[in-house]
Amino acid sequence: MAEATAEQKYHLITRRLQEVLGGESIKAILDQGKAPKAYWGTAPTGRPHVGYFVALTKIADFLRAGVVVKVLLADVHAFLDNLKAPLELVAHRTQYYKHLLLAVFHTLGIPTSKLIFVEGSSYQLTKEYNLDNYKLCATVTEHDAKKAGAEVVKQVDSPLISGLLYPGLQALDEQYLDVDFQFGGVDQRKIFTFAELYLPKLGYAKRAHLMNAMVPGLAGGKMSSSDPDSKIDFLDPPDAVRKKIKKAFCEEGNITENGILAFVKAVLIPISELRIERARGETLADDEEGQGATGNQRPFVGEGAPEGTVFSVYRDEKFGGSSHYASFEEVEKAFADKELHPKDLKTAVGDALVSLLEPIRKTFDESEEWQKIEKLAYPDPNADKKKKKKEKVYHPPPPGKGKNANVPADATAPDAAAPAEVPASTPADP
């Protein structure tokens, strides 16, 4: 295959994104024949959910375009985020996240040898980084810092100063990780524009920012790690996955705030397309993609589907037979026109997701190290509250009560044949 053009690479880098800020700087790097450098970061706090598939699948596009990708495990950020976890717990969660991300990348067929994992504390505790942080603190107003973190830092009645530091540290990460652009969800937009404003004031370059759309939760709102009913954990067993999908909001004909439809658009169809393109050899600069992939690498397409299908919904022939769709728009229209029933859509999504998560859970079940880290990272919150089983203590009944209460007194007297007790005054044997 011929070398991809700068235009082709830029298309890969930016496709499916909701917004791009500073795309011209990325184009300039590609036009020079250079490889852009990017980072995607995650703070290891709550358990990652399947919404992470959106960002992780996008990383495959970056690698195909020859981008150098750094994955930041932002442990210091996790600690600062309203003290959701103490540092020793964050350390275990950082390792848990790394195990999980590697397992997800493998099931997506993304070569981890081309990824650079970085722990935030490896450079965020250095003298240079902290001096730059102090410079930011002397430059940034409280209003700007609070505004920048409004969508990301948890808002509470008595906010901590750490929440004001969060946006500045994330901005500095771009400089200290030496990248050309940062990638994240659209909920990070205010932090991204904060970085574009303040990094140049420290004498550092302004970076580009790429944002994907946020995936709604199963109930229709934001998918959140803190709300177990709104999201599906990567390690949820098949019955739990199907149960959550069955309960999800998916009103017939309603295409707004529909978490099931949104998941098809943001996760299942992109992964299907990723696998179809790989089968055609369309991986451009990433010649290692797919090597060592775990699990079934088939796209979510049924048997006998016509060419160009990216998603199929199975139905018994007596109910009209299976449906095949070449785009999300076709799925959405069929649902809006009530040609696609919520039950059939949920079944298809459940089957696809169970297939997608199976190799991740298998990797976890076969790794004693990961299982041990999981217990340390997310200890049972009720472990100390569980009541210990009380030991039975015998309390003799009061006089006249109990099982011997009606037995004649002489019946309970000492046996006459028993030797008499030696009086206390008897002298001891010589």
Side-chain angles (χ1 to χ4, degrees):
M1 181 180 290
E3 175 69 22
T5 65
E7 185 176 350
Q8 287 176 313
K9 291 180 178 179
Y10 185 75
H11 169 71
L12 269 177
I13 291 170
T14 57
R15 70 171 177 172
R16 300 195 194 97
L17 295 176
Q18 179 165 325
E19 187 174 4
V20 175
L21 299 176
E24 293 303 318
S25 65
I26 299 176
K27 287 181 180 179
I29 295 170
L30 293 171
D31 287 339
Q32 295 171 23
K34 296 180 180 179
K37 293 174 287 185
Y39 102 79
W40 171 79
T42 181
T45 52
R47 289 175 179 267
H49 50 69
V50 294
Y52 276 61
F53 271 126
V54 181
L56 304 184
T57 302
K58 186 62 196 168
I59 288 175
D61 283 342
F62 295 159
L63 294 178
R64 286 178 174 184
V67 175
V68 176
V69 180
K70 299 182 180 181
V71 176
L72 174 64
L73 298 168
D75 48 357
V76 174
H77 290 274
F79 173 68
L80 290 175
D81 192 359
N82 201 39
L83 293 182
K84 287 182 179 177
L87 280 173
E88 57 272 17
L89 197 59
V90 168
H92 295 308
R93 292 184 178 180
T94 299
Q95 294 308 307
Y96 176 87
Y97 267 58
K98 188 170 183 179
H99 274 279
L100 178 64
L101 292 176
L102 287 171
V104 177
F105 282 133
H106 288 154
T107 196
L108 291 174
I110 296 174
T112 55
S113 62
K114 292 192 174 184
L115 299 174
I116 302 171
F117 285 86
V118 182
E119 292 184 19
S121 56
S122 67
Y123 65 87
Q124 291 169 344
L125 303 180
T126 63
K127 175 182 176 181
E128 294 77 15
Y129 187 93
N130 278 282
L131 283 175
D132 275 340
N133 182 33
Y134 293 147
K135 290 177 184 177
L136 270 181
C137 290
T139 307
V140 179
T141 65
E142 179 186 358
H143 172 270
D144 283 2
K146 188 174 182 180
K147 179 182 177 182
E151 299 295 324
V152 177
V153 179
K154 187 175 181 179
Q155 303 300 300
V156 294
D157 292 335
S158 300
L160 302 173
I161 294 176
S162 59
L164 299 177
L165 297 177
Y166 201 100
L169 299 183
Q170 189 166 336
L172 288 175
D173 290 340
E174 296 178 358
Q175 173 65 25
Y176 281 80
L177 287 171
D178 186 27
V179 296
D180 302 302
F181 70 87
Q182 182 180 173
F183 167 58
V186 73
D187 62 333
Q188 305 266 332
R189 192 182 195 282
K190 291 179 181 178
I191 289 182
F192 291 166
T193 55
F194 174 95
E196 291 182 5
L197 174 63
Y198 282 102
L199 275 186
K201 292 185 178 183
L202 295 183
Y204 297 138
K206 175 181 173 181
R207 269 70 175 191
H209 296 94
L210 278 57
M211 289 161 273
N212 56 254
M214 301 303 293
V215 182
L218 298 178
K222 181 179 178 180
M223 191 176 289
S224 170
S225 295
S226 60
D227 181 3
D229 291 330
S230 78
K231 54 94 178 184
I232 293 173
D233 190 289
F234 279 107
L235 298 180
D236 276 345
D239 56 343
V241 172
R242 290 193 169 95
K243 183 178 180 180
K244 288 181 180 181
I245 288 179
K246 185 177 180 180
K247 291 171 59 179
F249 175 77
C250 188
E251 183 181 34
E252 187 176 14
N254 187 346
I255 60 174
T256 62
E257 292 298 315
N258 189 323
I260 297 295
L261 271 179
F263 192 78
V264 172
K265 178 182 181 181
V267 176
L268 297 184
I269 288 181
I271 291 176
S272 227
E273 291 176 339
L274 183 79
R275 292 174 173 178
I276 291 170
E277 291 164 351
R278 184 189 303 149
R280 295 173 181 163
E282 299 172 1
T283 60
L284 298 184
D286 192 358
D287 55 356
E288 294 180 21
E289 185 182 316
Q291 295 181 13
T294 58
N296 186 346
Q297 293 298 303
R298 283 177 52 84
F300 304 119
V301 174
E303 295 290 339
E307 183 71 23
T309 299
V310 295
F311 187 71
S312 296
V313 174
Y314 171 81
R315 265 195 309 258
D316 194 279
E317 289 297 330
K318 63 183 179 181
F319 296 118
S322 299
S323 299
H324 308 289
Y325 306 95
S327 67
F328 172 73
E329 287 71 27
E330 289 187 8
V331 177
E332 186 177 49
K333 185 178 186 304
F335 192 85
D337 294 342
K338 298 185 179 181
E339 297 172 359
L340 175 57
H341 193 273
K343 182 179 179 181
D344 294 327
L345 179 61
K346 285 184 176 183
T347 299
V349 170
D351 290 344
L353 192 49
V354 166
S355 171
L356 197 55
L357 297 181
E358 186 274 334
I360 300 171
R361 187 168 180 81
K362 184 173 184 288
T363 301
F364 174 78
D365 291 339
E366 294 175 351
S367 173
E368 292 184 8
E369 180 184 0
W370 188 3
Q371 292 172 33
K372 181 179 178 181
I373 289 173
E374 191 261 352
K375 288 183 173 63
L376 294 171
Y378 301 100
D380 183 354
N382 299 314
D384 295 333
K385 300 178 183 178
K386 292 177 181 177
K387 295 181 180 179
K388 294 181 180 179
K389 188 176 181 180
K390 293 183 178 180
E391 295 181 6
K392 292 184 178 180
V393 179
Y394 174 71
H395 296 285
K401 304 291 183 180
K403 64 181 181 179
N404 294 326
N406 298 321
V407 180
D410 57 352
T412 59
D415 191 336
E421 186 176 348
V422 179
S425 58
T426 302
D429 293 335

